[in-house]
Amino acid sequence: MKRLEGKVALITGGARGQGEAEARRFVAEGARVVIADVLDEADQRVAAELGDAARFQHLDVTSEGDWQAAVDATLAHFGRLDILVNNAAILKLVPIEACSLEDYRKVIDVNQVGCWLGMKSVLAALKDAGGGSIVNVSSTAGMEGVAGGSAYVSSKFAVRGMTKAAALEFGRHGIRVNSVHPGGIDTVMARPPEFSDFDPASIYSGLPIARIGKPDEVASLVLFLASDESTYCTGSEFIVDGGMLAGSTFH
């Protein structure tokens, strides 16, 4: 039997990168998936390639109305909802001194408020399904600071914390809530203009696993947390970073 047979998932930021990899893996494992994003053209392409097991849904994660519409569309099309993957995020790297309040709040709204709204919006549907799994994608920046990343770091620490609060609140309903903390993963978001002068090979060569990570490697971990293989896991952090947070080596 496939690992997500009979389950329905809603994945935000599903049009590309980690979200796309998760959507493809979930469908391969038997799930039906709503791929939600603001990138409508890419969103529709991925859903079309996955066939009847997937549908696209426009979703601005900062909009409570969009969230309700996405949940309603999921229930109308697939009849239930078992899994939420809060994957949508944006990255802005700028020193605090030069960061505008507007830019700071934009990152917080998408990465932090969007995650919170997602959990709140799917709760009734997951209760009706008899339980389920919420996977909140944080970052290694939710475990340590990043110079120039005050907004991103703040948002990802918040995702880590709200995951624990939600796990405590939702556990009695059979709903598990965990956070995933990727390190450097080879996606469009991980190659912002601010990194144009950096060579990825030199950045990651010092890791125990001396390379940048792949979206499929994050998808494998998210799949585990979404599936019934992780039924005793909740309120925890799961790191996929090639050993980035393990410590330092001296040669």
Side-chain angles (χ1 to χ4, degrees):
M1 182 176 177
K2 295 182 176 180
R3 297 160 77 185
L4 295 180
E5 196 73 48
K7 296 185 184 294
V8 175
L10 172 60
I11 301 175
T12 69
R16 66 186 187 188
Q18 291 174 187
E20 179 182 355
E22 291 151 10
R24 293 185 183 279
R25 182 67 65 83
F26 278 29
V27 169
E29 290 291 345
R32 292 169 292 168
V33 178
V34 173
I35 302 168
D37 210 309
V38 292
L39 302 174
D40 291 344
E41 185 175 341
D43 199 354
Q44 292 179 51
R45 173 187 57 79
V46 175
E49 291 175 2
L50 292 175
D52 292 340
R55 64 162 286 151
F56 80 91
Q57 176 70 33
H58 179 86
L59 173 59
D60 173 354
V61 296
T62 69
S63 166
E64 193 167 10
D66 274 16
W67 267 111
Q68 189 58 57
V71 172
D72 290 346
T74 302
L75 297 177
H77 195 75
F78 291 129
R80 62 184 293 128
L81 179 58
D82 306 278
I83 301 159
L84 168 66
V85 182
N86 268 317
N87 177 78
I90 60 173
L91 174 63
K92 180 73 174 178
L93 293 176
V94 61
I96 292 172
E97 184 178 26
C99 184
S100 69
L101 179 58
E102 180 182 9
D103 282 344
Y104 182 87
R105 282 179 168 163
K106 184 175 181 180
V107 174
I108 296 299
D109 280 347
V110 173
N111 298 2
Q112 177 177 334
V113 177
C115 180
W116 183 86
L117 276 175
M119 293 193 293
K120 181 178 176 66
S121 299
V122 305
L123 181 55
L126 266 59
K127 284 182 182 178
D128 289 344
S133 176
I134 297 174
V135 183
N136 295 326
V137 180
S138 179
S139 168
T140 51
M143 310 289 284
E144 65 175 3
V146 177
S150 61
Y152 189 74
V153 168
S154 297
S155 70
K156 292 304 187 178
F157 264 83
V159 169
R160 178 184 171 197
M162 73 174 74
T163 293
K164 294 181 180 297
L168 294 170
E169 294 180 20
F170 297 176
R172 62 192 176 94
H173 303 297
I175 301 168
R176 298 179 295 107
V177 192
N178 292 285
S179 58
V180 168
H181 297 256
I185 307 298
D186 191 12
T187 65
V188 173
M189 193 182 80
R191 297 189 297 272
E194 297 93 329
F195 281 4
S196 60
D197 295 333
F198 290 91
D199 175 12
S202 66
I203 295 173
Y204 300 105
S205 62
L207 299 182
I209 301 175
R211 59 171 174 81
I212 194 170
K214 303 172 185 176
D216 282 346
E217 292 173 311
V218 179
S220 293
L221 179 53
V222 173
L223 170 62
F224 167 72
L225 293 171
S227 77
D228 291 339
E229 296 174 0
S230 57
T231 50
Y232 201 51
C233 300
T234 197
S236 292
E237 301 97 347
F238 292 80
I239 299 169
V240 51
D241 72 346
M244 181 184 294
L245 296 180
S248 301
T249 58
F250 300 93
H251 300 285

